[in-house]
Amino acid sequence: DADVTQTPRNRITKTGKRIMLECSQTKGHDRMYWYRQDPGLGLRLIYYSFDVKDINKGEISDGYSVSRQAQAKFSLSLESAIPNQTALYFCATSDAGRPGDTQYFGPGTRLTVL
Amino acid sequence: KNEVEQSPQNLTAQEGEFITINCSYSVGISALHWLQQHPGGGIVSLFMLSSGKKKHGRLIATINIQEKHSSLHITASHPRDSAVYICAVREINTGNQFYFGTGTSLTVIP
């Protein structure tokens, strides 16, 4: 079984709809991240969490919110989706105890907002 | 502003060729990572470097901290190496921010 899972893997929705992307991990890592990837751009950080009580905005947090329900779960919400949020979304985890913070990525969620 | 720049953006090679992908960065870092993104989208970590050189099979990664530059080399390239290779740095000043390059798309032709 995959260590980092994301649901759904694909989603098509309409402008204005509320969408939640979920991420679960079995690696026991404290740190979790949400990124989006757009063609021609590098991965960009949306939000990150270093433990259940610690949530931080990343480079492009506007229009998004997150919830860290447990160490293993980190959800990303789009309260009112808009077309420029169409992208590939990745969840990642890392182990705070290891130097260099190697990240382990989920398989990605392809979101299309019409 | 791009904290991480990669070159080339696209690379086509014949099977067996030696390949080099370059990464330059502009921020102080605690570590640099090389990632591989498969055509299906999945991303895996290949190397984490803070100094020197690392080798894993046919892959070699080097870093020059003074010059803020890293290279990823693939020896005896194979079609299964076809993927997007992404350089990422962990910035030391913000403590935990990662910056990613836009990736190098490699195609190895049989």
Side-chain angles (χ1 to χ4, degrees):
Chain A
D1 286 340
D3 294 318
V4 184
T5 57
Q6 292 183 232
T7 56
R9 294 294 311 277
N10 289 283
R11 181 73 184 267
I12 299 173
T13 190
K14 294 182 178 179
T15 298
K17 294 291 188 182
R18 183 178 188 274
I19 297 295
M20 180 180 285
L21 309 183
E22 300 189 354
C23 176
S24 295
Q25 53 114 347
T26 58
K27 299 189 74 67
H29 290 168
D30 287 324
R31 297 182 174 184
M32 297 187 74
Y33 309 80
W34 275 105
Y35 296 96
R36 66 176 280 176
Q37 186 179 42
D38 299 275
L41 298 177
L43 287 156
R44 291 182 292 165
L45 182 64
I46 306 172
Y47 271 95
Y48 62 101
S49 168
F50 284 169
D51 64 39
V52 175
K53 297 179 182 178
D54 178 75
I55 303 287
N56 303 280
K57 291 183 178 181
E59 182 185 353
I60 52 162
S61 59
D62 288 349
Y64 301 94
S65 62
V66 291
S67 172
R68 184 82 184 264
Q69 301 95 321
Q71 187 204 40
K73 296 185 182 295
F74 192 36
S75 299
L76 176 72
S77 293
L78 290 67
E79 295 300 326
S80 180
I82 56 177
N84 76 1
Q85 291 177 313
T86 293
L88 186 55
Y89 289 83
F90 286 98
C91 173
T93 74
S94 68
D95 182 356
R98 289 192 171 269
D101 221 12
T102 296
Q103 304 215 325
Y104 298 86
F105 288 84
T109 295
R110 189 168 296 279
L111 177 66
T112 302
V113 183
L114 302 176
Chain B
K1 112 184 168 175
N2 294 324
E3 290 81 1
V4 181
E5 299 276 0
Q6 284 184 238
S7 64
Q9 285 190 315
N10 296 283
L11 181 57
T12 300
Q14 290 292 134
E15 184 173 357
E17 285 186 11
F18 180 85
I19 288 163
T20 297
I21 299 170
N22 295 299
C23 174
S24 296
Y25 54 91
S26 59
V27 296
I29 69 169
S30 59
L32 180 143
H33 298 256
W34 281 102
L35 311 171
Q36 182 190 53
Q37 185 169 22
H38 297 287
I43 299 174
V44 296
S45 181
L46 297 174
F47 292 104
M48 188 278 291
L49 293 162
S50 54
S51 65
K53 176 179 174 179
K54 285 191 176 179
K55 184 175 189 293
H56 181 69
R58 295 180 294 105
L59 301 178
I60 303 166
T62 63
I63 188 169
N64 185 317
I65 297 292
Q66 287 73 30
E67 294 186 3
K68 295 188 174 180
H69 181 268
S70 175
S71 293
L72 176 68
H73 305 286
I74 305 175
T75 62
S77 59
H78 189 276
R80 65 175 174 265
D81 297 325
S82 298
V84 175
Y85 293 84
I86 300 169
C87 174
V89 300
R90 185 167 181 261
E91 185 181 10
I92 197 166
N93 291 327
T94 60
N96 299 292
Q97 177 74 290
F98 270 90
Y99 294 105
F100 295 81
T102 54
T104 295
S105 179
L106 171 66
T107 302
V108 181
I109 300 170

